[in-house]
Amino acid sequence: MPPQPMAHLKEPATGRMHRQFVPLLADETVAQSLDRLRRHPPSDGAVYFYVTDEDGRLLGVVPARRLLLSPPEAAVAGLMVPDAVTLPASATVLDACRLFIQYRLLALPVVDEGGRLLGVLDVEPYKEDLRRLERATVVGRLVQPVARFMQVESSGGLVLLAATAAALLLANSPYSESFHAFWETHAGLTFGDSSLVESLRDWIGDGLMTLFFFVVGLEIKREIVSGELADPRKALLPVLAAVGGMVVPAAVYALCLWGRPGWRGWGVPMATDIAFVVGFLTLLGPRVPSGLKVLLLTLAIADDIGAVLVIAVAYSGQLDLGTLALAGAGLGLVPLLRWLGVRSATVHAALGAAIWLGFLKSGVHPTVAGVLLGLLTPTRPPTGRGLVLDVIHDLNGRLRGIRRGTPEETPELASPAERLEHALHPWVAFAIMPLFALANAGVRVEAQALATPIALAVAAGLVLGKPIGIVLFSALSVRMGWARLPDGVDWRAMIGAGCLGGIGFTMSLFIAGLALDGPLLDEAKIGVLVGSAASAILGCLLLIAFLPSRAPGRDGMPPRA
């Protein structure tokens, strides 16, 4: 077997380590350190000096520029950056490369198990390895959020399904009245003459679901900045397919109920539930081409944008323009605070809560605030302190006479959007959405309820309207030369994908709760459950029939569990 081109990455990193370093002592001054460096010159190109104690244990690092520009009487301990990034003596060349890429350092100190400084690795001998690895790392950083998203969504879909089954069982059991009464329990806060009291079901819909929509906003922002929606040519097919998947189901529902009670629920069959779609794509495994997976996921994200617009425009209450203006001013403060350098999570959380309350009192559904806040979240790591903090830092330095160096900020590796999505996505998938299903999917299932006009209209919109709209608008865009089908995808597979798009569930139930109430709402819920189940079964059967079975990884993507 020929040797692997990068097999040397498994070799010990100490093989490239040099010992031509002069450690600084924490209790000496800059003048004493420079004098010792003149007597024992370090290796050429030294950019960092390492501070040790008398036993040789590493205490910190001092950049060469800081040492040279500091007053002679300044203490070395005041100049050093503590908690330096270190490499253990047992590390491999690959481990060293990863640290060089992650922290953008020009040298790494090597320490033993006791923290004693053994030597230094310079970046120069690693340049060729770093060029190869960085290309792979960049691709990994682009793919990792999507892979993590897929994993959480597919697992969350199972929990969501279990919560739905539990809600249906309880709603059709002898405990039905107690079950519904529990969700109608009122709770809230009172401040003097002002109060904010809602039922538990409304707290979930207006409060917790705002976090769900905040994560939706983060996902939309990610797709717009670095995903499929970033390239207009790639985005055109899923966006137009999503438009068709919203317009046609709404038209089917409206035609079925024209002039009848419940006509206002035309937005119910417009939505696609991304958690269940991802779950069924995972269930189908490698037989689904990667192009079709990306198309469906991007379609679902674009569908979420449409659903948010529908909620904001069609299903918000009577507007209080004054309160809405205050909420808008709060949204304007978000980028202003970021520009000023205010990054406190507490400050931003308090501002977000105030914006949410403003939307709630203005008549616009508060979940819209969640999406807007998600879209305003930066997708790139901050590069500086910000204007105000820079001024304060400079003034502080001048008042102190710049006698002591201040450790420089370590640049953040992850953007605020990435950190928030990583932190909140599991809570949304495994707690908030199942709670929403428990509170809203519980409806009594009776034979006559399946044949009511609203249930039939919702089911028809999901089962028929969704695939017709998705395939029709996709065909028009391809026929006009605006887009083309992904590799490995034909029109039969598109029909199956369109049927999977008919799984409305979470968003459909949410819109139903805004558009309808009483018996009409129960009928719509029945339609959502039946239509989503039928769409899932039909979509899976069609994709199994139309897509050939393939070995894992044949589509150019690694197999997923």
Side-chain angles (χ1 to χ4, degrees):
M1 179 182 294
Q4 296 297 318
M6 300 189 76
H8 65 280
L9 294 178
K10 298 180 181 179
E11 296 174 358
T14 50
R16 301 186 184 186
M17 178 182 73
H18 72 79
R19 301 177 185 273
Q20 298 175 358
F21 65 91
V22 180
L24 307 183
L25 298 177
D27 58 356
E28 64 184 5
T29 64
V30 169
Q32 292 170 328
S33 295
L34 290 176
D35 182 62
R36 192 148 50 86
L37 289 171
R38 291 188 193 99
R39 288 185 280 109
H40 304 282
S43 62
D44 293 339
V47 290
Y48 308 122
F49 294 103
Y50 299 100
V51 184
T52 64
D53 60 14
E54 294 181 353
D55 296 326
R57 283 188 289 268
L58 182 65
L59 301 177
V61 59
V62 177
R65 182 175 182 274
R66 182 179 295 180
L67 183 69
L68 295 173
L69 297 180
S70 295
E73 68 275 13
V76 168
L79 303 179
M80 75 176 184
V81 179
D83 302 323
V85 177
T86 61
L87 191 72
S90 59
T92 64
V93 171
L94 179 59
D95 295 327
C97 288
R98 285 172 174 164
L99 287 182
F100 278 128
I101 290 174
Q102 182 176 358
Y103 293 101
R104 307 291 177 181
L105 295 171
L106 299 176
L108 284 170
V110 181
V111 297
D112 63 13
E113 293 181 355
R116 287 179 289 272
L117 183 62
L118 300 178
V120 178
L121 291 181
D122 290 323
V123 74
E124 191 66 30
Y126 290 83
K127 281 188 174 180
E128 183 57 35
D129 293 334
L130 291 175
R131 271 194 291 269
R132 298 181 188 178
L133 288 171
E134 181 133 45
R135 284 195 292 269
T137 303
V138 169
V139 173
R141 285 177 181 169
L142 292 175
V143 171
Q144 186 181 16
V146 179
R148 186 170 61 239
F149 172 81
M150 291 279 287
Q151 183 179 9
V152 173
E153 288 288 357
S154 59
S155 303
L158 296 176
V159 179
L160 187 59
L161 185 62
T164 304
L168 287 171
L169 286 173
L170 288 169
N172 291 273
S173 72
Y175 306 102
S176 173
E177 290 186 9
S178 300
F179 176 69
H180 288 296
F182 172 76
W183 297 114
E184 292 301 325
T185 303
H186 280 68
L189 301 171
T190 300
F191 303 97
D193 295 333
S194 301
S195 64
L196 183 60
V197 178
E198 295 190 0
S199 67
L200 294 180
R201 181 180 284 111
D202 288 337
W203 273 116
I204 293 172
D206 294 343
L208 291 181
M209 287 299 283
T210 299
L211 289 177
F212 165 78
F213 278 90
F214 176 68
V215 173
V216 167
L218 294 175
E219 292 165 358
I220 293 171
K221 183 74 173 284
R222 184 191 67 214
E223 289 296 314
I224 291 174
V225 172
S226 60
E228 291 296 306
L229 296 179
D231 186 343
R233 290 181 61 84
K234 289 183 179 180
L236 195 57
L237 180 62
V239 167
L240 290 178
V243 171
M246 290 185 286
V247 171
V248 176
V252 169
Y253 181 97
L255 289 174
C256 290
L257 289 176
W258 192 266
R260 298 185 184 184
W263 183 85
R264 190 169 181 265
W266 52 267
V268 174
M270 293 177 64
T272 295
D273 190 297
I274 195 168
F276 278 127
V277 170
V278 169
F280 284 110
L281 288 177
T282 304
L283 183 65
L284 292 170
R287 91 167 47 240
V288 182
S290 60
L292 187 60
K293 294 175 183 176
V294 172
L295 173 65
L296 266 176
L297 291 176
T298 311
L299 183 153
I301 294 292
D303 194 284
D304 284 341
I305 298 175
V308 171
L309 292 174
V310 168
I311 291 170
V313 175
Y315 296 121
S316 292
Q318 186 175 358
L319 295 183
D320 182 336
L321 296 180
T323 308
L324 185 59
L326 289 175
L331 288 171
L333 281 176
V334 174
L336 178 61
L337 289 176
R338 185 169 68 248
W339 179 69
L340 294 175
V342 179
R343 297 177 193 157
S344 168
T346 303
V347 172
H348 283 276
L351 180 58
I355 293 169
W356 172 85
L357 183 60
F359 271 80
L360 179 68
K361 296 297 185 181
S362 71
V364 178
H365 200 275
T367 52
V368 176
V371 177
L372 294 176
L373 288 169
L375 292 173
L376 287 173
T377 304
T379 56
R380 293 178 181 174
T383 55
R385 296 184 184 88
L387 177 65
V388 171
L389 293 185
D390 269 338
V391 171
I392 294 174
H393 181 266
D394 182 66
L395 178 61
N396 184 46
R398 291 175 184 276
L399 292 174
R400 294 167 59 194
I402 320 182
R403 293 185 177 276
R404 295 182 61 186
T406 304
E408 297 177 1
E409 288 187 333
T410 301
E412 296 183 36
L413 300 177
S415 69
E418 185 179 350
R419 285 188 284 108
L420 285 169
E421 187 176 356
H422 181 70
L424 292 176
H425 196 188
W427 285 97
V428 168
F430 298 116
I432 293 176
M433 291 177 66
L435 263 178
F436 176 81
L438 273 173
N440 291 274
V443 60
R444 182 169 291 278
V445 180
E446 298 174 346
Q448 61 269 27
L450 301 176
T452 59
I454 290 182
L456 291 175
V458 171
L462 293 172
V463 178
L464 299 177
K466 271 288 185 181
I468 292 173
I470 290 172
V471 174
L472 178 62
F473 276 58
S474 298
L476 287 174
S477 63
V478 171
R479 181 65 179 250
M480 297 296 291
W482 298 337
R484 64 182 181 86
L485 292 180
D487 293 337
V489 178
D490 58 19
W491 289 111
R492 297 184 306 167
M494 282 297 295
I495 295 173
C499 290
L500 278 187
I503 307 174
F505 199 73
T506 305
M507 198 72 82
S508 292
L509 289 176
F510 187 80
I511 294 176
L514 299 178
L516 305 168
D517 53 26
L520 299 181
L521 175 57
D522 289 341
E523 294 173 13
K525 289 180 179 180
I526 291 290
V528 169
L529 295 173
V530 172
S532 296
S535 295
I537 294 170
L538 186 59
C540 288
L541 290 176
L542 290 176
L543 289 177
I544 290 171
F546 294 152
L547 293 175
S549 179
R550 64 180 76 194
R554 285 277 303 277
D555 60 355
M557 296 288 285
R560 275 191 291 267

